[in-house]
Amino acid sequence: MGEISTTEDAGGPQRRGWKQDPDAVRRNIVQVARGVFARQGLSGARVEEIAASTRTSKRMIYYYFGDKEGLYRAVLEDAYGRMRGDEAALDLRAVHPVAALRQLAEFTFDHHRRDPDFVRLVMIENIHEGAHMSASDSMAGQNSSVILLLEDIYQRGCEAGLFRSGLTALELHWHISALSIFNIANRATFSRIFGDALFTERGQRMLSRHVGDMILGLVMKPGLSSETDPQRPKEEARMINPDIFRFLDVWDAKWATLAPEADAAARRTHFESIARDMRLPTPPEVETDDEHWIDSSGGPVRVRVFRHAAGGTQPALIYMHGGGWMQGSPETHWDITARLAAWTRCTVISVDYALAPEHPFPAAYEQVLSVAKWAHAEAEALRIDPARIAIGGDSAGGNLAAAVALTCRDEGVPLSAQLLIYPACDFDQSRPSYAENAEGPLLKVAGMKATHALYSPDEAQLSRDPRLAPLVAESHANLPPTYIAVAQNDPLRDSGLAYAEALEAAGVEVELDRGEGLIHGYLRAMEYCEDSEAKLRAMATWLQQAQG
């Protein structure tokens, strides 16, 4: 359209000399109309009200959309188009089917809770018996995409021997939508009757996780949980090789499928898929289903409990996964925590701490500290011995464990031991191991500075705050007995060695494993490298002895 130089409808603003971008005007009208229709429905919405809040006129709304029902139909098309576009952006085709189905289910729940207007529009269209949706050719195509996506995930899960047959993608879509829409559609009445605890940030994140659990519970084969795979065939077992480079061949090939421009969220999803795909069978004596949500000043945090089936009051280990403070979860480090629980006959509390760059320091630190205090406060309910609670982790998780152990010492929260596996204890890249192992393998020096900046944008703080760099603490005295495992071919090697020296100088009992011939992250290679498993068994033996 050209310039508008006429007076608008009664009650509307005057717009003179404004050259319009038709697409921008149309988008603006749809955006405003979406909110009005969501609040007032099709019958209650007035075109005059919509026009008054846009950058155009009532006459132009009719020009673009024909009538109010045409505008309403355009709003529906836009809402569904955005939803399906966000689903497509997840790019779940190469993701392990269990991880993919969980992510799609949780994405749907989280999308609806962030965009309640979408649910309200769906409810309004149901009042009208879906008449306007039926009249839209574009919506039929848009909504078929999610069925195709679910069909792909479901078929891959069936082919892998994980999902039971006899279900359809349409049935799965119904269940996911039902759970996600109820959360918004019935929030007012549900919270009025039962209170709003489930609608806090903690409650919503917990429910999101539950949605994934329930959908996976529906599709998994009898006898399998969402966290267990069928036993690998014998011909696959013959692939096990003590040479750690066999592991690297597999690991690097799986990461090579990730797009070079992938952002942090995409890398996390890819990591979850790889770890899920490579996971070893869970020791049968370990129970893995228990989860808890803990409030903290860093936000609510989920923990997964790995408990030895022997029962009784057990020693405990609070464990933080690695991943550069940017990726990883209790599920990506399942092999480590499940085996520690099995081999020490203890309870391992694996922490799903907040990740950078969305949640930089001190969020993760504050969450881990809260988990340590929670474990003591809830020891009886958790059936753990408060006098035998240790803390540990690998890589970035080892950093968090060491930092929180210092604070626990200062605040009188007793810890019985520390297990620090190739930990980052400071950020001094002038140490020889950084030059010797600049190209890894697995961990490369080139990207470290950028990763550190995402975790803590204040570069000076990295060198002076013991909550970030536990090596710089004024005193390391009175810390619990500590096991430090480093790797010979790891850039972080000398940081861990320096921490061992600092603890020993302060009178702390230290057990040091130098990890000859190993690399950063070597515990991931247990299927391929006998020494990797032997190292974890040695850690378990030490921890069991330290716990008494």
Side-chain angles (χ1 to χ4, degrees), residues 493-534:
R493 179 195 69 205
D494 292 348
S495 181
L497 292 176
Y499 201 60
E501 292 174 2
L503 267 58
E504 286 179 332
V508 177
E509 179 185 332
V510 175
E511 181 80 14
L512 175 64
D513 185 334
R514 294 180 178 272
E516 286 82 358
L518 295 176
I519 64 170
H520 188 83
Y522 65 74
L523 289 182
R524 291 204 162 275
M526 284 188 284
E527 182 176 4
Y528 302 88
C529 178
E530 292 177 355
D531 200 23
S532 295
E533 179 176 324

Side-chain angles (χ1 to χ4, degrees), residues 203-535:
Q204 290 287 283
R205 289 177 62 181
M206 179 180 68
L207 289 178
S208 177
R209 181 79 185 178
H210 288 174
V211 168
D213 291 339
M214 285 186 276
I215 297 302
L216 287 170
L218 170 67
V219 303
M220 298 302 295
K221 273 189 170 182
L224 291 181
S225 78
S226 61
E227 303 299 347
T228 58
D229 282 333
Q231 291 295 320
R232 300 185 180 189
K234 291 183 179 179
E235 60 268 24
E236 212 175 310
R238 288 198 294 270
M239 293 176 59
I240 297 175
N241 192 300
D243 188 349
I244 201 167
F245 290 100
R246 292 297 301 275
F247 157 73
L248 288 173
D249 288 342
V250 176
W251 181 259
D252 292 344
K254 289 182 178 293
W255 274 102
T257 62
L258 179 67
E261 67 276 10
D263 60 11
R267 289 188 65 83
R268 286 175 201 146
T269 299
H270 200 71
F271 186 23
E272 295 284 340
S273 179
I274 292 172
R276 186 64 180 75
D277 194 46
M278 296 180 71
R279 186 184 299 167
L280 299 170
T282 302
E285 65 271 32
V286 176
E287 300 166 352
T288 64
D289 294 336
D290 197 14
E291 292 186 341
H292 299 273
W293 288 82
I294 296 98
D295 288 322
S296 80
S297 55
V301 56
R302 177 179 68 97
V303 300
R304 180 183 282 276
V305 177
F306 295 78
R307 181 174 172 82
H308 196 280
T313 300
Q314 300 179 359
L317 169 67
I318 300 167
Y319 192 90
M320 277 62 69
H321 63 81
W325 301 278
M326 294 176 62
Q327 60 191 21
S329 69
E331 288 68 40
T332 60
H333 286 59
W334 189 287
D335 286 347
I336 298 171
T337 50
R339 278 156 181 75
L340 285 172
W343 298 340
T344 62
R345 302 178 70 85
C346 80
T347 296
V348 179
I349 300 170
S350 189
V351 184
D352 191 17
Y353 57 83
L355 299 173
E358 297 89 340
H359 305 285
F361 175 83
Y365 162 85
E366 291 174 341
Q367 289 182 342
V368 175
L369 180 59
S370 293
V371 170
K373 294 177 179 179
W374 167 83
H376 278 277
E378 299 296 324
E380 183 176 357
L382 294 168
R383 293 171 293 161
I384 61 176
D385 183 351
R388 294 187 294 165
I389 298 176
I391 196 166
D394 63 275
S395 193
N399 167 278
L400 287 166
V404 168
L406 288 166
T407 305
C408 286
R409 176 201 63 184
D410 296 340
E411 296 188 5
V413 180
L415 295 173
S416 58
Q418 287 189 95
L419 175 60
L420 309 179
I421 307 168
Y422 26 84
C425 297
D426 71 346
F427 300 90
D428 180 2
Q429 295 190 20
S430 68
R431 302 184 187 281
S433 59
Y434 284 89
E436 293 172 16
N437 306 301
E439 294 301 316
L442 199 138
L443 178 64
K444 300 182 185 300
V445 173
M448 282 186 174
K449 190 170 184 179
T451 298
H452 299 161
L454 292 174
Y455 179 51
S456 176
D458 185 348
E459 186 174 350
Q461 194 177 26
L462 291 172
S463 63
R464 67 170 185 263
D465 191 334
R467 298 175 302 166
L468 283 158
L471 183 58
V472 306
E474 291 184 6
S475 171
H476 297 94
N478 301 315
L479 286 170
T482 303
Y483 190 107
I484 298 180
V486 299
Q488 181 181 6
N489 304 297
D490 180 3
L492 299 182
R493 179 195 69 205
D494 292 348
S495 181
L497 292 176
Y499 201 60
E501 292 174 2
L503 267 58
E504 286 179 332
V508 177
E509 179 185 332
V510 175
E511 181 80 14
L512 175 64
D513 185 334
R514 294 180 178 272
E516 286 82 358
L518 295 176
I519 64 170
H520 188 83
Y522 65 74
L523 289 182
R524 291 204 162 275
M526 284 188 284
E527 182 176 4
Y528 302 88
C529 178
E530 292 177 355
D531 200 23
S532 295
E533 179 176 324
K535 295 296 185 185

Side-chain angles (χ1 to χ4, degrees), residues 114-133:
R114 289 192 302 266
D115 187 9
D117 281 355
F118 176 83
V119 175
R120 294 181 184 118
L121 288 169
V122 172
M123 295 166 64
I124 290 165
E125 181 60 7
N126 273 283
I127 292 173
H128 293 278
E129 302 292 339
H132 305 88
M133 182 179 290

Side-chain angles (χ1 to χ4, degrees), residues 92 95-104 216 269 272-273 276:
L92 298 174
V95 176
H96 188 286
V98 171
L101 186 55
R102 175 182 289 282
Q103 187 178 0
L104 182 59
L216 287 170
T269 299
E272 295 284 340
S273 179
R276 186 64 180 75

